[in-house]
């Protein structure tokens, strides 16, 4: 059996998973006794797994999550109002598929950034595109893009992202240009993608944070309508976290 030309063809067709699986089968004489359909199925399963892993790597790299966190490591023991039943609809990813938003608020150190990144990681594993940005960084990128002519491209990228995570929301008052930029981002994404807001600022103060009542009304109407709301409470997790703790909020 001329296996090397077959292996070369699989590599040339970029069927890396099947190539590696066949090379492995050739070292396992027991597989020779399996029916052709079974061996082919094993090769195809390996190719699917390989492609899924490559896609996940691409999605995680593009997401640029601030911390690598997983929903499996969420600490439900810490008294901050986080319940498994409440998290189940969020970890399922259905809200992203429905282009709904999530407002995650709570005091500093309660795990907002970590939890936002865990949900972002989960979304990547579910095949969604994700992008993490601190709000000050978002405004800086938009300002630079307006100056170098890449504004339309950046806005297009933000619009097409399935889950946009905006961290450090409400740190300082917005300027008029920032309000307009935010309005454009939220308007473009409304009904097309999900936005996760992580903020120390309670939702009832967001209107004052944005400023300019008319613009604030328009932004919050699009952000908050049918949005999931998750409010954390309690003392900072840093006070009780051990050096080995899985969940520590960097913010």
């Amino acid at each position: 059996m001329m296996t090397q030309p077959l292996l070369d063809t699989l590599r040339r067709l970029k069927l890396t998973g099947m190539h590696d699986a066949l090379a492995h089968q050739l070292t396992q004489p027991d597989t020779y006794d399996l029916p052709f359909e079974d061996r082919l199925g094993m090769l195809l399963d390996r190719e699917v797994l390989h492609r899924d892993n490559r896609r996940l790597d691409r999605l995680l790299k593009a997401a640029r999550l601030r911390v690598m966190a997983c929903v499996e490591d969420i600490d439900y023991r810490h008294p901050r109002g986080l319940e498994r039943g409440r998290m189940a609809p969020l970890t399922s990813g259905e809200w992203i598929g429905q282009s709904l938003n999530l407002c995650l608020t709570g005091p500093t150190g309660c795990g907002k950034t970590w939890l936002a990144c865990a949900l972002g990681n989960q979304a990547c594993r579910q095949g969604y595109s994700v992008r993490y940005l601190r709000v000050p960084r978002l405004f800086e990128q938009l300002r630079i893009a307006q100056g170098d002519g890449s504004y339309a491209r950046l806005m297009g990228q933000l619009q097409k992202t399935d889950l946009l995570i905006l961290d450090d929301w409400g740190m300082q008052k917005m300027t008029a240009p920032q309000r307009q930029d935010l309005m454009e981002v939220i308007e473009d994404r409304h009904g097309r993608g999900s936005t996760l807001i992580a903020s120390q600022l309670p939702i009832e103060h967001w209107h004052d944070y944005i400023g300019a009542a008319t613009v604030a009304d328009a932004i919050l109407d699009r952000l908050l309508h049918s949005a999931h709301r998750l409010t954390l409470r309690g003392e900072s997790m840093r006070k009780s976290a051990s050096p080995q703790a899985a969940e520590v909020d960097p913010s």
Side-chain angles (χ1 to χ4, degrees), residues 233-251:
R233 61 177 183 269
E235 294 185 354
S236 172
M237 295 185 68
R238 300 189 191 95
K239 294 181 179 180
S240 59
S242 66
Q244 294 79 27
E247 180 182 345
V248 177
D249 194 336
S251 63

Side-chain angles (χ1 to χ4, degrees), residues 31-203:
T31 62
Y32 299 167
D33 296 330
L34 295 175
F36 170 78
E37 292 82 358
D38 291 349
R39 294 187 64 186
L40 178 60
M42 294 167 65
L43 298 181
L44 292 173
D45 287 344
R46 183 71 172 271
E47 181 64 29
V48 170
L49 178 62
H50 175 75
R51 295 193 179 198
D52 285 346
N53 288 337
R54 287 188 60 189
R55 174 172 171 77
L56 177 58
D57 288 342
R58 290 196 302 269
L59 289 173
L60 287 173
K61 183 178 180 180
R64 299 181 180 179
L65 299 172
R66 187 173 180 182
V67 293
M68 290 308 298
C70 300
V71 296
E72 292 84 359
D73 294 329
I74 295 176
D75 184 359
Y76 291 101
R77 298 168 299 176
H78 194 277
R80 52 178 170 162
L82 198 57
E83 301 174 355
R84 294 181 186 274
R86 185 75 184 277
M87 286 299 299
L90 300 178
T91 58
S92 73
E94 292 182 4
W95 61 288
I96 303 175
Q98 298 169 357
S99 298
L100 299 178
N101 300 325
L102 169 60
C103 301
L104 178 59
T105 58
T108 182
C110 67
K112 299 182 301 298
T113 294
W114 193 97
L115 187 56
C117 289
L119 290 172
N121 180 294
Q122 180 75 351
C124 288
R125 289 154 61 184
Q126 292 165 341
Y128 294 111
S129 59
V130 178
R131 188 162 186 170
Y132 170 93
L133 283 167
R134 295 177 57 251
V135 171
R137 181 58 177 161
L138 169 66
F139 289 146
E140 179 66 9
Q141 287 189 3
L142 290 170
R143 184 187 66 80
I144 294 173
Q146 289 171 341
D148 65 15
S150 62
Y151 183 79
R153 180 168 61 86
L154 176 57
M155 290 295 290
Q157 292 173 348
L158 294 175
Q159 177 184 330
K160 294 176 183 178
T161 300
D162 295 322
L163 174 61
L164 177 63
I165 300 174
L166 297 180
D167 200 1
D168 290 340
W169 171 278
M171 297 297 288
Q172 59 186 17
K173 287 280 189 177
M174 290 187 192
T175 64
Q178 289 172 343
R179 278 194 295 270
Q180 189 58 43
D181 284 340
L182 181 63
M183 180 66 211
E184 293 300 323
V185 171
I186 299 303
E187 173 61 28
D188 282 354
R189 294 183 51 75
H190 183 56
R192 300 185 180 94
S194 296
T195 302
L196 190 162
I197 303 291
S199 176
Q200 297 180 30
L201 193 66
I203 292 176

